[in-house]
Amino acid sequence: METIVSAPIATSPSAVKRVTKSLAELRHSLTVPELSDHVLFFNRVPKSGSEMLVLLLQWLQGKNGFRHVRLGGSNVRKLNRIQQEELVEEVTQRVRDEAVPVSFDRHVYFVNFTQFDRQSPTFINLVRDPIDKAASRFYYARATPNPRNPDIVGAPPFKAKKFKSKDFEECVRTEDPECIFKTGQSYDLTIPYFCGHQDYCTVLNDQRSLDAAKENVERYFLVVGVLEELNATLTLLEHKLPYYFKGVQHMYYNELKEPHRNKNKKHSNSVTRETRKHLEKVLDTEYEFYYWLRARVLRQHNELFAR
């Protein structure tokens, strides 16, 4: 089982140790950027290519002069108020301990740092077609020693002998509890990673969660990449966040793409048209959000070359 755990970015290292300031301190300045120009936060959506992007950050940190920190606690993604505050303070302390800009990653729903009187990091993320992601998680669970469907809150581990040989198509077609998504119930899908920790953020097809997710993306996420638009995504990261991602396209295509392919090829993640049509209807707001993000990536990419 997988562990469930705007201001421009600086383009050169600072010789002065940087400190994350509270908003109260920043109010004394002439300008108060809402997003920090030296703290990057990748609150990773599972099974969407996030490990690939983390690996790129780890490789690029030495070359580009920043520090990447992998935060613990990814088994808990929806946080109460105290847990959110603890995360904010952990990030703040780690930034204070470093003499260079810092990037962080963790599987966690969006945390609004400004609610705790702290300047927000610049957020990034990477998403994937919702059905392909669901199928990937389904088969990933079969390659782990403690299988459990992380999309379904409270789902039990599966120990039946037929578990490992079960097919995603059959699971959906027979309405197996492992593969059922129902409007009004809570799931660990994509939208909560942008909506936040309110109860409605995990409720499938809740309009409030979709609206909040879009609002947070526009305000706090400089880049939300799309796995199916990886070329455009890497181009955006390199252009909009050059301090962190300078050279990322060359590194991906020349050092990562071939040697780091997904090794879990035992099952095919292809989904028939009939099953896809059914799930697209069931995952209505997830798809609305996905298509909105995909259009945003392509628009941002086109704007780069229209200047």
Side-chain angles (χ1 to χ4, degrees), residues 206-248:
D206 189 305
Q207 187 65 39
R208 293 172 298 174
S209 66
L210 175 62
D211 292 342
K214 288 182 177 180
E215 181 178 349
N216 287 334
V217 166
E218 294 286 30
R219 188 168 181 178
Y220 299 105
F221 289 79
L222 191 60
V223 176
V224 177
V226 175
L227 194 59
E228 290 77 15
E229 299 291 348
L230 190 56
N231 291 344
T233 295
L234 294 177
T235 300
L236 280 175
L237 289 170
E238 187 154 7
H239 279 77
K240 287 184 170 290
L241 296 160
Y243 190 90
Y244 296 95
F245 289 102
K246 181 181 179 181
V248 69

Side-chain angles (χ1 to χ4, degrees), residues 34-90:
E34 188 168 28
L35 304 185
S36 171
D37 65 354
H38 61 282
V39 183
L40 190 71
F41 200 112
F42 179 22
N43 65 316
R44 305 185 292 132
V45 176
K47 307 311 297 175
S48 300
S50 65
E51 284 295 341
M52 172 268 294
L53 194 54
V54 168
L55 185 57
L56 288 169
L57 281 167
Q58 290 176 319
W59 287 359
L60 288 166
Q61 62 179 327
K63 178 181 178 180
N64 290 340
F66 65 92
R67 174 89 164 94
H68 183 70
V69 176
R70 305 212 69 178
L71 296 170
S74 287
N75 59 311
V76 180
R77 298 171 182 182
K78 182 179 179 182
L79 310 180
N80 60 36
R81 179 81 179 181
I82 293 176
Q83 290 170 322
Q84 292 178 61
E85 185 172 14
E86 289 173 346
L87 176 59
V88 169
E89 290 308 312
E90 180 182 5

